[in-house]
Amino acid sequence: MLEDYKSALRAGQRAYRARIARGQSPYLAVLDDVLKGVDIVAQEPLGLVEIPSDSLVGTKTSGRHTAFSYDFMPLLEPDTEFAAKWSNLCDAHLEEGIHTPIIAFEYMNRFYVQEGNKRVSVLRSFGAPTIRAYVTRVLPVYSDDPAVRVYYEFLHFYGLCGLYQVHFNRVGDYPKLQAALGFDADHIWSDREKRAFLTAFYTFRTAYYKLSQEPPVTTAEALLVWLHTYTLGDLRVLGPAELEKSIRAVWTELTAYARGGKIEMQTDAEPEASGSGLLGLL
């Protein structure tokens, strides 16, 4: 629908102006540019993956990347062929849904689209939390770079649970989360544990983003800080207002964490009281 395109275009123009005001690039990132001068050890096909929508940050090549704002909202005028194709894809989505997976590359826990930019744009304009994609992972050579070290910790974590929703920026936080959930360091998650965690994760995320559209840390980091005071079992009993209040109660810790402060948490898993941890949520 053309009206849906115009609405998405206005969102793209707002995002464009906001980035310009901050002195940042208003367009999608380009993986080919990101990888210039980077030592790559391998490329691994992952098959079909559910990608968190907000982890899609760019395109594989520079073609068409300026047709979108940094968040995949369209920037071209409504009388263009691009707009017509976007609108037709929008109609298809509203009538029967978009079922064809995109093709993307993953580098350092961020995704870059090779095929399906307009599909991503349409789906994100309707708030899709995840997007299905055939993914190829691009592996950097291991180094002492903190970002690379964190990423290699993520690779171990992903091997245990297969989840891309959890994003940390500090070395040691992935093992801390594994321990906070009551798991041994090498515990492989069952399907039931994955579903229970995602239910808890998105419940927490909804409350977290109600408090701030630009929160100080990622959802996973906020959850880890919150778990220093509360348990996942509390997510089962706290109502929305109570959950928001509990997050406000640790907001000082969140901002301190964002500035580099540490949250002390043991990394050796210990059994939690019955019903208080991840298994209790099942």
Side-chain angles (χ1 to χ4, degrees):
M1 294 183 181
L2 189 56
E3 287 306 312
D4 288 312
Y5 181 82
K6 290 179 179 178
S7 177
L9 174 60
R10 289 192 292 272
Q13 292 168 337
R14 288 194 298 269
Y16 179 95
R17 290 192 296 268
R19 279 295 180 101
I20 291 294
R22 296 173 184 169
Q24 301 171 323
S25 172
Y27 302 117
L28 294 172
V30 177
L31 181 59
D32 287 350
D33 294 338
V34 172
L35 293 180
K36 287 179 179 177
V38 176
D39 291 328
I40 299 301
V41 68
Q43 292 192 15
E44 299 178 351
L46 301 182
L48 191 60
V49 176
E50 287 282 341
I51 297 176
S53 180
D54 55 8
S55 292
L56 283 153
V57 299
T59 59
K60 172 64 169 62
T61 63
S62 59
R64 280 294 193 188
H65 85 287
T66 57
F68 302 92
S69 60
Y70 75 95
D71 57 354
F72 274 95
M73 292 300 98
L75 291 175
L76 301 186
E77 293 302 318
D79 59 353
T80 59
E81 180 184 3
F82 174 92
K85 290 181 177 179
W86 194 102
S87 297
N88 290 337
L89 191 59
C90 180
D91 291 342
H93 173 61
L94 293 174
E95 291 171 6
E96 57 185 33
I98 295 175
H99 302 294
T100 304
I102 66 171
I103 298 175
F105 285 79
E106 181 257 303
Y107 174 68
M108 298 286 284
N109 219 344
R110 292 290 182 263
F111 295 86
Y112 302 81
V113 180
Q114 182 179 41
E115 182 182 306
N117 293 317
K118 284 190 285 294
R119 273 172 274 166
V120 172
S121 183
V122 169
L123 289 168
R124 287 190 63 161
S125 73
F126 283 93
T130 61
I131 295 175
R132 297 167 71 240
Y134 290 107
V135 174
T136 298
R137 174 179 286 156
V138 181
L139 273 172
V141 171
Y142 184 81
S143 71
D144 289 333
D145 182 335
V148 174
R149 292 175 60 199
V150 171
Y151 181 65
Y152 269 78
E153 282 191 355
F154 162 75
L155 293 179
H156 177 73
F157 177 80
Y158 183 86
L160 301 177
C161 65
L163 299 178
Y164 264 111
Q165 285 82 351
V166 178
H167 182 73
F168 290 112
N169 293 297
R170 295 193 192 180
V171 174
D173 280 355
Y174 284 104
K176 285 180 181 178
L177 178 62
Q178 184 85 347
L181 298 178
F183 293 151
D184 293 330
D186 295 318
H187 171 78
I188 297 175
W189 298 25
S190 69
D191 288 341
R192 293 179 70 224
E193 288 165 345
K194 293 177 191 178
R195 290 194 298 270
F197 175 79
L198 288 177
T199 297
F201 183 83
Y202 282 117
T203 297
F204 182 87
R205 186 181 189 276
T206 298
Y208 182 47
Y209 273 83
K210 278 189 177 180
L211 299 178
S212 174
Q213 291 303 306
E214 295 187 3
V217 296
T218 70
T219 301
E221 289 168 337
L223 178 60
L224 187 60
V225 171
W226 186 84
L227 286 172
H228 186 249
T229 304
Y230 301 91
T231 71
L232 279 181
D234 292 324
L235 289 173
R236 184 175 52 187
V237 297
L238 293 175
E242 294 173 314
L243 179 56
E244 289 176 31
K245 183 178 179 180
S246 73
I247 297 173
R248 286 195 198 95
V250 299
W251 204 264
T252 299
E253 286 85 348
L254 292 182
T255 54
Y257 182 94
R259 293 193 299 266
K262 294 182 179 180
I263 297 296
E264 296 300 330
M265 185 175 295
Q266 64 186 40
T267 55
D268 294 325
E270 289 186 1
E272 293 187 324
S274 177
S276 65
L278 183 57
L279 294 178
L281 289 174
L282 298 175

